[in-house]
Amino acid sequence: MEASIACCSARAFLPGVSTQHSTALAAPSAISPSFSSKSLKSTSLFGESLRQVPISSLKVSKTTQSSLVTKCEIGDSLEEFLTKATPDKGLIRLMMCMGEAIRTISFKVRTASCGGTACVNSFGDEQLAVDMLADKLLFEALTYSHVCKYACSEEVPELQDMGGPVEGGFSVAFDPLDGSSIVDTNFTVGTIFGVWPGDKLTGVTGADQVAAAMGIYGPRTTYVLAIKGFPGTHEFLLLDEGKWQHVKETTEISEGKMFSPGNLRATFDNPDYDKLINYYVKEKYTLRYTGGMVPDVNQIIVKEKGVFTNVISPTTKAKLRLLFEVAPLGLLVENAGGYSSDGHQSVLDKVIGKLDERTQVAYGSKNEIIRFEETLYGSSRIKGGVAASEARSEKWRGSVSGIVEAPIEKVWSMVSQTKRLAEWMPMVERCTDLAGEEGVPGYVRLVSGFMFPQEDGERSWIKEKLVSIDIPQHNYVYKLEASNVGLDGSVNSVKLVDYGNDSTLVDWSYELDPLQGTCEDSIIDYLGFLYKSCINRIEGAIEASRKVSVAGSQFN
């Protein structure tokens, strides 16, 4: 579970976690009074009434105290999508600024003179004028965002200070114009970038990215992006009026006979790669290869099938750069439900040791990546077990967020103290310290009350452990260690974001292992109802506390 800015992990009573479903606030009457922990552990969880609100139809429900973050929809503008996908306004601003740069680059690519300059970049690749123009536009966009600390380009492979903050800021690596050598042939080319939190672009992995995207300049201009923790990879189309519109969501890469074989010269002295290519031909796969990595990988996401390979051999060394190309595209493919591999592991698990680190790679459906690993190395870590990306996707996740009309420090003071839980968590009666020191990872507490109706009328209880806490960033993560409600092992966290004008965005999400014989939507809906009720009470609890304080001071 990752407790990132975009989404936090959650469990069943505390603040939230990773997000796959956004939940609507169901009416209290929708919850059957006969609901019990036994039904939670077995079948027909929470009854049919809660499932009458389909996830795809959820809309914003705003009260005087808070508003839900809703499911993204086809037709949304870029800003509407990002606002729903992440509560982090800094990340939203950065992705919007990069969208503006991609829009401008698209026009420049269409009108550029494609004569070469006399320049080569530090890696020895020839640069065309349009490369350097795209490079300049992207650096300017990141500077203008005011949230980027460092940026690094494939054309300028050194960290450039963009002036943004370290805390709450980001570092971005990008390939300004992948495929620039085929611009003059009028083939599709594109921009690739990955976004990492903080100020590090080495010593990190692709899995640490909070977002990745590519801009694709072809017959259409599209902006394809993925937000860590938010399901799917999403395509936006550049309209005539210059706006981005959400046109496609990809959440699954299925099996299909389409292949894009890069670096075919490696088949000369890599017999295993030659065997793999011959398999594709023998099995009558459709060849779809342009020579540009962006369109060749993008077609897997758009067509929702296929495989892309770029393999090394004794005489053909790795060309693709992990930081600038492979890791960002890895997040895009895996967020879309696909898989990636360097032959032994997901490219998202590879540590980026240096800016110019290079690797071989394959992207595609699950079976295609199994075939890639088995043919080249004799076995597959996916077939032998559960891939890391698959293990993450097997969790049940949900999220609910809302605006509280109170300053962030007051909200944090309310939600971060165990002794104040009963003030804002409905039906919580008692909170007891069991081990450790509050505010320090390892702290354990027992929460009891009527949060989950029991068939025998008994109180529900949970024992949870503080996994992590970041006071400056206003977030923490708890894991449920034991309970009588059947949600043991689930994780939750809370993330607060200053929303301006003395208001705070509270983001709760939750993550739990699938429960045998139960309905995922029913569980997600009920937990969403429970957490939404908590959000609705925070503002009132703060006001009640203020009145008590005022009355006490007057009495004294």
Side-chain angles (χ1 to χ4, degrees):
M1 186 286 305
E2 59 269 342
S4 68
I5 292 176
C7 24
C8 314
S9 64
R11 165 210 65 1
F13 309 83
L14 270 225
V17 179
S18 233
T19 313
Q20 272 195 346
H21 299 293
S22 292
T23 59
L25 179 58
S29 60
I31 301 175
S32 170
S34 64
F35 162 72
S36 71
S37 61
K38 293 180 180 178
S39 64
L40 176 61
K41 297 172 185 175
S42 56
T43 60
S44 63
L45 186 57
F46 306 123
E48 289 295 320
S49 55
L50 277 175
R51 297 200 293 140
Q52 292 174 358
V53 183
I55 296 298
S56 61
S57 67
L58 299 180
K59 304 294 182 182
V60 172
S61 172
K62 186 168 183 178
T63 69
T64 57
Q65 292 176 313
S66 59
S67 62
L68 285 176
V69 173
T70 65
K71 185 180 188 298
C72 299
E73 298 177 351
I74 300 300
D76 280 350
S77 68
L78 177 61
E79 186 172 11
E80 288 171 337
F81 167 85
L82 291 171
T83 301
K84 297 173 184 178
T86 173
D88 190 329
K89 293 196 292 186
L91 183 58
I92 292 172
R93 179 173 177 82
L94 187 147
M95 299 301 285
M96 291 292 294
C97 288
M98 293 298 274
E100 284 301 298
I102 288 170
R103 182 174 63 84
T104 305
I105 293 169
S106 174
F107 175 77
K108 297 298 183 181
V109 167
R110 293 177 189 280
T111 59
S113 169
C114 292
T117 68
C119 302
V120 292
N121 65 15
S122 300
F123 297 137
D125 301 324
E126 182 182 1
Q127 286 184 296
L128 304 179
V130 70
D131 288 67
M132 294 181 288
L133 179 58
D135 199 65
K136 180 174 181 290
L137 287 168
L138 291 165
F139 274 120
E140 288 177 352
L142 292 170
T143 301
Y144 179 74
S145 75
H146 302 299
V147 295
C148 180
K149 176 56 180 174
Y150 290 116
C152 187
S153 164
E154 190 175 66
E155 308 301 342
V156 184
E158 299 174 356
L159 292 183
Q160 306 293 313
D161 194 334
M162 298 288 100
V166 175
E167 292 293 333
F170 306 94
S171 292
V172 179
F174 60 87
D175 183 348
L177 201 64
D178 185 78
S180 57
S181 63
I182 57 175
V183 169
D184 55 350
T185 65
N186 210 23
F187 279 19
T188 295
V189 294
T191 295
I192 305 169
F193 70 88
V195 183
W196 280 262
D199 61 347
K200 304 295 184 184
L201 286 176
T202 54
V204 295
T205 67
D208 295 325
Q209 293 174 99
V210 294
M214 53 183 168
I216 302 157
Y217 317 118
R220 304 180 305 151
T221 296
T222 55
Y223 186 20
V224 178
L225 59 87
I227 303 294
K228 181 180 181 180
F230 190 82
T233 295
H234 301 264
E235 180 183 70
F236 292 80
L237 176 66
L238 184 61
L239 304 178
D240 288 341
E241 59 267 32
K243 296 180 180 179
W244 295 105
Q245 184 177 68
H246 190 202
V247 295
K248 182 174 175 58
E249 174 186 31
T250 302
T251 57
E252 182 180 6
I253 305 298
S254 304
E255 305 308 320
K257 294 185 175 182
M258 181 179 72
F259 75 122
S260 301
N263 197 25
L264 278 177
R265 64 173 63 90
T267 58
F268 175 74
D269 55 347
N270 184 335
D272 292 325
Y273 191 31
D274 183 58
K275 179 180 177 181
L276 181 64
I277 298 302
N278 285 331
Y279 173 86
Y280 295 147
V281 175
K282 180 181 178 181
E283 294 299 318
K284 299 181 179 180
Y285 278 50
T286 299
L287 174 64
R288 289 288 183 268
Y289 182 69
T290 70
M293 192 176 185
V294 166
D296 290 338
V297 174
N298 183 56
Q299 70 178 342
I300 296 175
I301 297 171
V302 173
K303 300 291 188 182
E304 301 182 6
K305 64 179 182 179
V307 61
F308 170 90
T309 58
N310 192 294
V311 177
I312 61 173
S313 75
T315 60
T316 57
K317 304 304 181 183
K319 179 181 178 183
L320 301 177
R321 298 174 181 96
L322 180 59
L323 176 65
F324 303 105
E325 301 160 309
V326 175
L329 293 179
L331 181 60
L332 289 167
V333 170
E334 294 201 14
N335 233 51
Y339 291 76
S340 69
S341 177
D342 69 345
H344 305 284
Q345 62 183 333
S346 163
V347 298
L348 295 183
D349 294 330
K350 291 177 69 68
V351 176
I352 302 168
K354 57 182 180 178
L355 300 179
D356 187 31
E357 187 155 344
R358 307 186 187 209
T359 182
Q360 65 179 4
V361 66
Y363 303 110
S365 64
K366 180 178 181 179
N367 286 344
E368 291 298 350
I369 298 305
I370 290 175
R371 181 176 295 110
F372 172 80
E373 292 181 345
E374 288 184 334
T375 303
L376 268 65
Y377 297 99
S379 64
S380 172
R381 39 95 199 190
I382 302 174
K383 190 174 183 179
V386 178
S389 59
E390 186 176 356
R392 290 192 294 268
S393 69
E394 286 180 350
K395 298 289 186 180
W396 288 357
R397 300 179 177 92
S399 175
V400 59
S401 303
I403 307 298
V404 175
E405 299 299 332
I408 191 170
E409 293 302 334
K410 288 188 176 181
V411 177
W412 177 252
S413 177
M414 177 63 67
V415 304
S416 63
Q417 298 184 62
T418 295
K419 65 182 180 181
R420 305 191 71 176
L421 287 182
E423 296 180 46
W424 54 277
M425 284 192 173
M427 298 172 285
V428 168
E429 288 187 336
R430 181 178 298 176
C431 304
T432 306
D433 298 335
L434 295 182
E437 179 183 348
E438 183 172 7
V440 177
Y443 165 72
V444 180
R445 66 189 182 189
L446 182 71
V447 181
S448 60
F450 293 92
M451 301 82 66
F452 292 88
Q454 303 292 296
E455 203 168 63
D456 53 10
E458 291 296 313
R459 289 172 176 80
S460 53
W461 60 268
I462 63 166
K463 175 186 174 183
E464 57 185 2
K465 181 178 181 179
L466 181 64
V467 176
S468 66
I469 184 169
D470 188 336
I471 296 175
Q473 294 298 310
H474 302 99
N475 67 66
Y476 60 83
V477 181
Y478 272 91
K479 181 174 182 179
L480 195 155
E481 294 194 319
S483 73
N484 66 344
V485 299
L487 295 175
D488 299 12
S490 58
V491 185
N492 82 90
S493 74
V494 63
K495 172 68 181 178
L496 306 184
V497 178
D498 188 344
Y499 221 62
N501 298 320
D502 283 339
S503 64
T504 303
L505 177 66
V506 182
D507 183 64
W508 277 345
S509 39
Y510 36 98
E511 177 179 284
L512 60 151
D513 294 324
L515 301 175
Q516 288 285 341
T518 62
C519 173
E520 178 181 358
D521 285 352
S522 292
I523 297 179
I524 295 302
D525 285 347
Y526 180 78
L527 294 178
F529 166 78
L530 181 65
Y531 291 133
K532 185 60 180 177
S533 298
C534 293
I535 293 176
N536 286 339
R537 290 167 58 99
I538 293 173
E539 188 175 326
I542 292 173
E543 178 61 19
S545 177
R546 185 192 68 80
K547 289 180 178 179
V548 170
S549 178
V550 169
S553 63
Q554 290 175 345
F555 180 78
N556 293 331

